[in-house]
Amino acid sequence: MISKYIPFLTIAVLIVFLIITFITKRNKNQLYIKFILIAYPLIGLNILSGNLAINNFEITTLFFYIFFYKKENTQQKLRININTILIAIMIISGLIGVALSNSIILDTVKAFIEITAILLYITVLIQECLHDKEFINEVLKSIKISIIVSLLFLVCQVIVGLDFTISKSLNGNVFQDDSIRYPSYFQDPQKYAQFLSVSSFLLLINNREKKKQLINYVVLTAVIISILFTGGRAALGGWIVGFTLIILLGNIDLKIFTIIILSIIGLGIFIYKDKFIIFNRGDNLNDSYLFRLGIWKDAYKIFLDNPFFGIAPGNYSNYVSIHNQDQFWMVDNEILYYDHPESGYLKILTEYGIIGFLSFFLIIIITLIKSFIEFIITKNLELIILISSIICWLIGFYTIYSLGDVRIQILIATIICLMIVHNKRVILKPIE
């Protein structure tokens, strides 16, 4: 249905961005960030196809940074810090892995373009949040728009069917026995489940517009129900852990709100559980674990064979096509080798080695620790909400490399940036 218009939609995103960027007299840096987040459903579409594929996010970001980016004068200067050093170590580790590998393909080049684009996005986002604290509210509003659009898209899929999609092809796990796992505007329902679970926490943050609190309540409830339609068990598990953390550490109002919502949804699930695929998937947890265990063992052996610098970014599929040829699935009678080992952690470990792996996750861990310490000092609930969101993602990340979708990259990078730029002054007010 929509898929036949994908080429038009793809080009339209770029054209619209160029037009509004040229004609606007407002802050172009902030316009770029808001455009990325509002055009979120379409930002991952590829401008070109095949080996030369580059998506809207990458081309938009590179074009913006070259021609429109303006460095702001902020009270807190962007300087070399531990995160900058860790990012540099990760990139250098990846480059050494490329130099040591003898089976490099164009996917490796794409991986570095991907890294460059997300780092440029992070640079602009942090700069603008430091320059204008109120811009954080605009960022959150834009993310909420993308959440609501995804829910509307999901409703259309339930009513019309899976032909209502912007993906050229859907992941094979969409069809589970006689049931459907709905992906909304994503290609994979597991990635959509992660998007929902991670972004749902942001709905607990009120941007001082009390009249819209009810909308946040309704959307959050819809998000939780929608996770059940995706069949994403890991995402649901991460969400439960994250919300448990909020119940334990939140104030009394937040605790009461969360418990009431969970009780209502829990009752509905108990009554209508047969209607949700997440409780009726044909494979049980043991079968899923055994399936993944074999792939994990192979991936771990790949890491042991290339322990320090990995097999090069983006090179997993090409590597297993040579060394682990049993890692493939059939799509339209064509053999496609796995591009990740059914685990985000093992994907990064195998492609970047232990040095790049530790560098990447130290950035996240250090940010979480700093934010938690600040929460202990200030009792600012915004921090615990953001922390819970990232913990939710980290839990689900063990079964799927969700960063393979640039939209998940943008979401996680945005939340981490909000944590980094946050200071001890109350910028946002959690829902009361």
Side-chain angles (χ1 to χ4, degrees):
M1 183 180 294
I2 299 180
S3 56
K4 63 182 179 181
Y5 299 109
I6 289 177
F8 169 77
L9 291 173
T10 304
I11 299 299
V13 171
L14 182 59
I15 292 175
V16 169
F17 173 74
L18 293 176
I19 291 175
I20 62 176
T21 305
F22 272 114
I23 65 176
T24 188
K25 295 182 180 179
R26 297 183 178 181
N27 186 318
K28 287 182 169 56
N29 291 357
Q30 293 187 7
L31 172 67
Y32 157 74
I33 296 295
K34 291 176 67 175
F35 181 85
I36 293 296
L37 295 175
I38 293 176
Y40 190 82
L42 304 174
I43 209 67
L45 296 178
N46 288 332
I47 296 288
L48 301 173
S49 58
N51 292 333
L52 298 176
I54 183 170
N55 60 46
N56 263 322
F57 172 68
E58 293 160 354
I59 192 67
T60 299
T61 298
L62 295 174
F63 192 88
F64 165 79
Y65 203 83
I66 293 172
F67 295 105
F68 297 108
Y69 170 69
K70 179 182 178 181
K71 187 174 182 179
E72 303 282 6
N73 292 320
T74 62
Q75 293 180 350
Q76 301 182 46
K77 299 294 184 181
L78 296 177
R79 61 175 69 90
I80 295 177
N81 54 28
I82 184 63
N83 288 337
T84 306
I85 294 172
L86 290 172
I87 289 172
I89 292 174
M90 181 179 176
I91 293 175
I92 292 172
S93 175
L95 290 172
I96 294 176
V98 170
L100 296 176
S101 177
N102 57 5
S103 57
I104 302 301
I105 56 173
L106 199 56
D107 284 344
T108 299
V109 177
K110 292 181 191 175
F112 280 103
I113 294 176
E114 194 175 272
I115 293 171
T116 301
I118 201 68
L119 289 178
L120 294 178
Y121 170 83
I122 289 171
T123 300
V124 180
L125 177 58
I126 291 179
Q127 174 187 287
E128 289 307 312
C129 289
L130 290 175
H131 176 69
D132 179 6
K133 297 297 189 298
E134 294 300 320
F135 181 61
I136 296 178
N137 291 321
E138 298 300 316
V139 170
L140 289 171
K141 287 179 184 178
S142 300
I143 294 176
K144 290 175 185 178
I145 290 173
S146 295
I147 296 172
I148 293 172
V149 171
S150 83
L151 297 176
L152 294 175
F153 207 100
L154 175 62
V155 170
C156 291
Q157 281 189 334
V158 173
I159 296 174
V160 178
L162 291 179
D163 286 339
F164 193 85
T165 179
I166 58 174
S167 300
K168 291 183 178 180
S169 62
L170 296 176
N171 194 298
N173 63 5
V174 165
F175 301 99
Q176 198 84 42
D177 295 331
D178 296 327
S179 302
I180 296 175
R181 301 174 63 185
Y182 291 95
S184 185
Y185 52 63
F186 286 80
Q187 184 261 352
D188 185 343
Q190 293 184 90
K191 293 176 181 177
Y192 180 45
Q194 282 214 338
F195 166 76
L196 288 175
S197 60
V198 171
S199 62
S200 67
F201 293 88
L202 304 182
L203 295 168
L204 293 173
I205 299 176
N206 175 34
N207 54 6
R208 299 174 185 162
E209 297 182 32
K210 292 185 178 181
K211 293 181 180 180
K212 295 185 178 181
Q213 285 186 7
L214 180 59
I215 295 177
N216 285 338
Y217 298 151
V218 173
V219 174
L220 178 58
T221 304
V223 165
I224 299 169
I225 295 173
S226 298
I227 293 175
L228 305 179
F229 281 94
T230 68
R233 294 181 296 213
L236 180 61
W239 179 86
I240 291 172
V241 172
F243 265 80
T244 300
L245 186 62
I246 289 176
I247 291 174
L248 292 175
L249 299 177
N251 62 19
I252 187 63
D253 294 329
L254 198 55
K255 288 180 180 181
I256 292 174
F257 163 73
T258 305
I259 292 173
I260 290 175
I261 290 293
L262 293 181
S263 298
I264 294 173
I265 294 175
L267 179 61
I269 291 172
F270 178 77
I271 297 174
Y272 299 104
K273 63 181 179 180
D274 292 339
K275 302 295 183 181
F276 296 111
I277 185 174
I278 198 167
F279 303 116
N280 298 282
R281 285 174 53 179
D283 60 332
N284 57 42
L285 289 174
N286 186 57
D287 292 338
S288 295
Y289 171 75
L290 292 176
F291 167 73
R292 288 186 169 95
L293 183 60
I295 301 173
W296 292 344
K297 287 181 177 179
D298 287 344
Y300 188 66
K301 185 178 184 303
I302 293 173
F303 159 67
L304 293 179
D305 292 338
N306 308 269
F308 297 109
F309 303 107
I311 59 175
N315 200 35
Y316 189 86
S317 178
N318 183 56
Y319 189 93
V320 298
S321 72
I322 300 171
H323 302 282
N324 300 85
Q325 296 183 348
D326 58 331
Q327 291 195 28
F328 70 90
W329 59 77
M330 298 295 297
V331 178
D332 298 328
N333 294 320
E334 180 182 357
I335 293 178
L336 294 179
Y337 289 96
Y338 294 175
D339 59 356
H340 65 82
E342 294 290 335
S343 170
Y345 295 100
L346 285 173
K347 165 80 168 179
I348 296 174
L349 189 62
T350 55
E351 291 192 347
Y352 286 88
I354 191 64
I355 296 176
F357 177 87
L358 290 177
S359 300
F360 177 79
F361 283 104
L362 276 175
I363 295 172
I364 299 173
I365 292 170
I366 290 172
T367 302
L368 288 173
I369 292 174
K370 286 183 176 180
S371 296
F372 187 75
I373 291 173
E374 186 174 337
F375 166 74
I376 295 298
I377 296 172
T378 65
K379 303 301 180 183
N380 187 346
L381 292 178
E382 176 203 347
L383 288 168
I384 207 64
I385 290 171
L386 296 175
I387 290 170
S388 298
S389 180
I390 293 299
I391 288 177
C392 170
W393 169 70
L394 288 172
I395 291 174
F397 197 57
Y398 87 95
T399 64
I400 180 174
Y401 179 63
S402 54
L403 296 181
D405 191 309
V406 70
R407 291 167 295 189
I408 302 295
Q409 290 182 32
I410 293 169
L411 177 63
I412 300 303
T414 300
I415 296 172
I416 291 176
C417 285
L418 293 181
M419 296 168 69
I420 290 174
V421 302
H422 192 280
N423 55 37
K424 295 182 180 180
R425 188 183 72 172
V426 178
I427 299 174
L428 300 166
K429 184 180 180 183
I431 289 177
E432 297 177 348

